[in-house]
Amino acid sequence: MAQREIDRLTARKVETLKTPGVYLDGGGLRLLVDANGNKRWRFRFAQGGKTREMGLGGFHARGDDKAVSLALARARAAKARAHVQAGRDPIVEGLDEKTIPTFGEAADAFLASLKGQWRNEKHKAQWEMTLRDYAAPIRATKVDQVDTVAVLKVLAPLWQSRPETASRLRGRIERVLDAAKARGERMGENPARWRGHLDHLLPTRQKLTRGHHTAKAFADVPAFVAQLQGCGGMTALALEFAILTAARSGEVIGARWSEIDLTAKVWTVPAVRMKAGREHRVPLTARAVAILEQATESRATAKDGTPGAFVFPTVGKDAPLSTNAFRALILRLTIGKPKPGEKPERAPFTAHGFRSSFRDWAGEVSTFPREVAEAALAHRTGDAVELAYRRGDALAKRVKLMEAWAGFVARGATRGNVTAIRAAAT
């Protein structure tokens, strides 16, 4: 190929280019500059009657060990041209094992980039597990070769049976592929995109048989709490504490003594452990304080000999209870322990469902405003303007609400006695 037809760019020009566009070096080698100033190399070739492109890597700032210089891009383009001339597919043959990572390598790199952003270790573990185990069919595929067929191969087996997991996995795959595109490792539309793409190929989650967390009728909560108080143990204490505070299971299981102010009777859950990423103050009723005082008697000891950090630790360890502890306890109290080798039955209600029980009680029985009940659940209500002016968390009002809830739970009310319950709550 004549020299004038290739090598049109210069190293200086490549480094200083800022205007978005496509810049040709010749011989199929192209430099793409996007609106953010990111630059990546592409090789365009014709094969089998079709025009195709393959990524050759991104051009980064000097000193970046992943930078693909003009010289290296030309060398890779030359190798790709040789494959084409020999009738081989340059994408399949590859240029350099380190040029384009596999999806698994891209996923691991993306997870590493999120270090310090996780709300908790459980959240991190969920991301790692789904991108490792559920995405196993595409982990060995080059990230620039992951297409819609590959994504559906991962999602389709889970979409009907585990819609919540499948939906989250789709979003995580989409983010990994977006990050790979930003690094110049792939081009084109994201095959894991939902709107305008996968929504035409998979049923929406609203059409799937997905239920909300099963809740216990609020009138039956007092009797269940009485059961908890009768069985003893750290898990029972923690679950009763979760019911009394209307907190999420993960927030209670991960609770630390540093978050508890027994003098002020307030539990402050830091933003990093909250679903919405905002600090949440929880008023502690007399019974909640009594539970905490009882928990101190079983406080674990850290390896350095200091008092343990977790409020509800695993027996003999300075580690939180298992995430499955509440489910196992509810199963034992309602269905009984499964026989050896027998598959555990589905629990009739979940620990998370007690938040719904509390909300139903607050809305149907108590006279507290909706906004106060929603604040107790760490929900924000109102439009953007209203939220901008409402800076407080209604803690004083929530103290009275949670005291009323604790009083109701302690009365041992039964289903159907709604009139008496309403009179007691107001």
Side-chain angles (χ1 to χ4, degrees), residues 209-220:
T209 55
R210 172 186 176 271
H212 295 288
H213 293 280
T214 311
K216 197 168 186 62
F218 69 82
D220 293 337

PDB file of all heavy atoms in Angstrom, residues 209-220:
ATOM      1  N   THR A 209     -44.466 -13.002  37.352  1.00  0.00           N
ATOM      2  CA  THR A 209     -45.090 -13.367  38.621  1.00  0.00           C
ATOM      3  C   THR A 209     -44.150 -13.018  39.750  1.00  0.00           C
ATOM      4  O   THR A 209     -43.606 -13.870  40.433  1.00  0.00           O
ATOM      5  CB  THR A 209     -45.387 -14.876  38.649  1.00  0.00           C
ATOM      6  OG1 THR A 209     -44.171 -15.593  38.370  1.00  0.00           O
ATOM      7  CG2 THR A 209     -46.425 -15.237  37.617  1.00  0.00           C
ATOM      8  N   ARG A 210     -43.974 -11.748  39.954  1.00  0.00           N
ATOM      9  CA  ARG A 210     -43.080 -11.272  41.007  1.00  0.00           C
ATOM     10  C   ARG A 210     -43.905 -10.598  42.087  1.00  0.00           C
ATOM     11  O   ARG A 210     -44.633  -9.655  41.834  1.00  0.00           O
ATOM     12  CB  ARG A 210     -42.065 -10.271  40.448  1.00  0.00           C
ATOM     13  CG  ARG A 210     -41.226  -9.592  41.526  1.00  0.00           C
ATOM     14  CD  ARG A 210     -40.357  -8.508  40.924  1.00  0.00           C
ATOM     15  NE  ARG A 210     -39.629  -7.808  41.949  1.00  0.00           N
ATOM     16  CZ  ARG A 210     -40.083  -6.747  42.587  1.00  0.00           C
ATOM     17  NH1 ARG A 210     -41.263  -6.275  42.322  1.00  0.00           N
ATOM     18  NH2 ARG A 210     -39.363  -6.150  43.514  1.00  0.00           N
ATOM     19  N   GLY A 211     -43.812 -11.085  43.291  1.00  0.00           N
ATOM     20  CA  GLY A 211     -44.575 -10.493  44.375  1.00  0.00           C
ATOM     21  C   GLY A 211     -43.697  -9.593  45.214  1.00  0.00           C
ATOM     22  O   GLY A 211     -42.478  -9.634  45.140  1.00  0.00           O
ATOM     23  N   HIS A 212     -44.325  -8.766  46.031  1.00  0.00           N
ATOM     24  CA  HIS A 212     -43.587  -7.946  46.970  1.00  0.00           C
ATOM     25  C   HIS A 212     -43.214  -8.812  48.169  1.00  0.00           C
ATOM     26  O   HIS A 212     -43.630  -9.963  48.287  1.00  0.00           O
ATOM     27  CB  HIS A 212     -44.441  -6.762  47.410  1.00  0.00           C
ATOM     28  CG  HIS A 212     -44.758  -5.815  46.291  1.00  0.00           C
ATOM     29  ND1 HIS A 212     -43.807  -4.987  45.750  1.00  0.00           N
ATOM     30  CD2 HIS A 212     -45.905  -5.593  45.604  1.00  0.00           C
ATOM     31  CE1 HIS A 212     -44.345  -4.264  44.782  1.00  0.00           C
ATOM     32  NE2 HIS A 212     -45.616  -4.623  44.672  1.00  0.00           N
ATOM     33  N   HIS A 213     -42.420  -8.276  49.065  1.00  0.00           N
ATOM     34  CA  HIS A 213     -42.076  -9.010  50.273  1.00  0.00           C
ATOM     35  C   HIS A 213     -43.360  -9.333  51.035  1.00  0.00           C
ATOM     36  O   HIS A 213     -44.142  -8.442  51.363  1.00  0.00           O
ATOM     37  CB  HIS A 213     -41.148  -8.162  51.147  1.00  0.00           C
ATOM     38  CG  HIS A 213     -39.797  -7.942  50.529  1.00  0.00           C
ATOM     39  ND1 HIS A 213     -38.804  -8.891  50.573  1.00  0.00           N
ATOM     40  CD2 HIS A 213     -39.293  -6.889  49.851  1.00  0.00           C
ATOM     41  CE1 HIS A 213     -37.732  -8.429  49.951  1.00  0.00           C
ATOM     42  NE2 HIS A 213     -38.005  -7.217  49.502  1.00  0.00           N
ATOM     43  N   THR A 214     -43.592 -10.614  51.296  1.00  0.00           N
ATOM     44  CA  THR A 214     -44.809 -11.031  51.965  1.00  0.00           C
ATOM     45  C   THR A 214     -44.837 -10.466  53.377  1.00  0.00           C
ATOM     46  O   THR A 214     -43.882 -10.626  54.137  1.00  0.00           O
ATOM     47  CB  THR A 214     -44.895 -12.565  52.012  1.00  0.00           C
ATOM     48  OG1 THR A 214     -44.644 -13.076  50.713  1.00  0.00           O
ATOM     49  CG2 THR A 214     -46.256 -13.011  52.473  1.00  0.00           C
ATOM     50  N   ALA A 215     -45.943  -9.814  53.710  1.00  0.00           N
ATOM     51  CA  ALA A 215     -46.054  -9.166  55.024  1.00  0.00           C
ATOM     52  C   ALA A 215     -47.069  -9.878  55.901  1.00  0.00           C
ATOM     53  O   ALA A 215     -48.014 -10.505  55.413  1.00  0.00           O
ATOM     54  CB  ALA A 215     -46.456  -7.706  54.845  1.00  0.00           C
ATOM     55  N   LYS A 216     -46.892  -9.761  57.193  1.00  0.00           N
ATOM     56  CA  LYS A 216     -47.844 -10.284  58.160  1.00  0.00           C
ATOM     57  C   LYS A 216     -48.874  -9.194  58.443  1.00  0.00           C
ATOM     58  O   LYS A 216     -48.535  -8.020  58.552  1.00  0.00           O
ATOM     59  CB  LYS A 216     -47.114 -10.674  59.443  1.00  0.00           C
ATOM     60  CG  LYS A 216     -47.908 -11.590  60.374  1.00  0.00           C
ATOM     61  CD  LYS A 216     -46.985 -12.140  61.435  1.00  0.00           C
ATOM     62  CE  LYS A 216     -47.702 -13.169  62.298  1.00  0.00           C
ATOM     63  NZ  LYS A 216     -48.161 -14.340  61.527  1.00  0.00           N
ATOM     64  N   ALA A 217     -50.141  -9.578  58.562  1.00  0.00           N
ATOM     65  CA  ALA A 217     -51.176  -8.600  58.888  1.00  0.00           C
ATOM     66  C   ALA A 217     -50.803  -7.894  60.189  1.00  0.00           C
ATOM     67  O   ALA A 217     -50.361  -8.535  61.147  1.00  0.00           O
ATOM     68  CB  ALA A 217     -52.522  -9.291  59.031  1.00  0.00           C
ATOM     69  N   PHE A 218     -50.944  -6.566  60.214  1.00  0.00           N
ATOM     70  CA  PHE A 218     -50.453  -5.830  61.387  1.00  0.00           C
ATOM     71  C   PHE A 218     -51.127  -6.280  62.676  1.00  0.00           C
ATOM     72  O   PHE A 218     -50.520  -6.235  63.744  1.00  0.00           O
ATOM     73  CB  PHE A 218     -50.610  -4.319  61.180  1.00  0.00           C
ATOM     74  CG  PHE A 218     -52.014  -3.794  61.159  1.00  0.00           C
ATOM     75  CD1 PHE A 218     -52.696  -3.539  62.341  1.00  0.00           C
ATOM     76  CD2 PHE A 218     -52.649  -3.532  59.956  1.00  0.00           C
ATOM     77  CE1 PHE A 218     -53.979  -3.042  62.325  1.00  0.00           C
ATOM     78  CE2 PHE A 218     -53.941  -3.036  59.932  1.00  0.00           C
ATOM     79  CZ  PHE A 218     -54.622  -2.789  61.113  1.00  0.00           C
ATOM     80  N   ALA A 219     -52.381  -6.738  62.597  1.00  0.00           N
ATOM     81  CA  ALA A 219     -53.074  -7.177  63.813  1.00  0.00           C
ATOM     82  C   ALA A 219     -52.460  -8.443  64.394  1.00  0.00           C
ATOM     83  O   ALA A 219     -52.664  -8.751  65.575  1.00  0.00           O
ATOM     84  CB  ALA A 219     -54.553  -7.414  63.500  1.00  0.00           C
ATOM     85  N   ASP A 220     -51.689  -9.195  63.574  1.00  0.00           N
ATOM     86  CA  ASP A 220     -51.050 -10.425  64.043  1.00  0.00           C
ATOM     87  C   ASP A 220     -49.618 -10.217  64.516  1.00  0.00           C
ATOM     88  O   ASP A 220     -48.989 -11.149  64.997  1.00  0.00           O
ATOM     89  CB  ASP A 220     -51.046 -11.462  62.920  1.00  0.00           C
ATOM     90  CG  ASP A 220     -52.438 -11.940  62.565  1.00  0.00           C
ATOM     91  OD1 ASP A 220     -53.329 -11.833  63.431  1.00  0.00           O
ATOM     92  OD2 ASP A 220     -52.650 -12.393  61.428  1.00  0.00           O
TER      93      ASP A 220
END
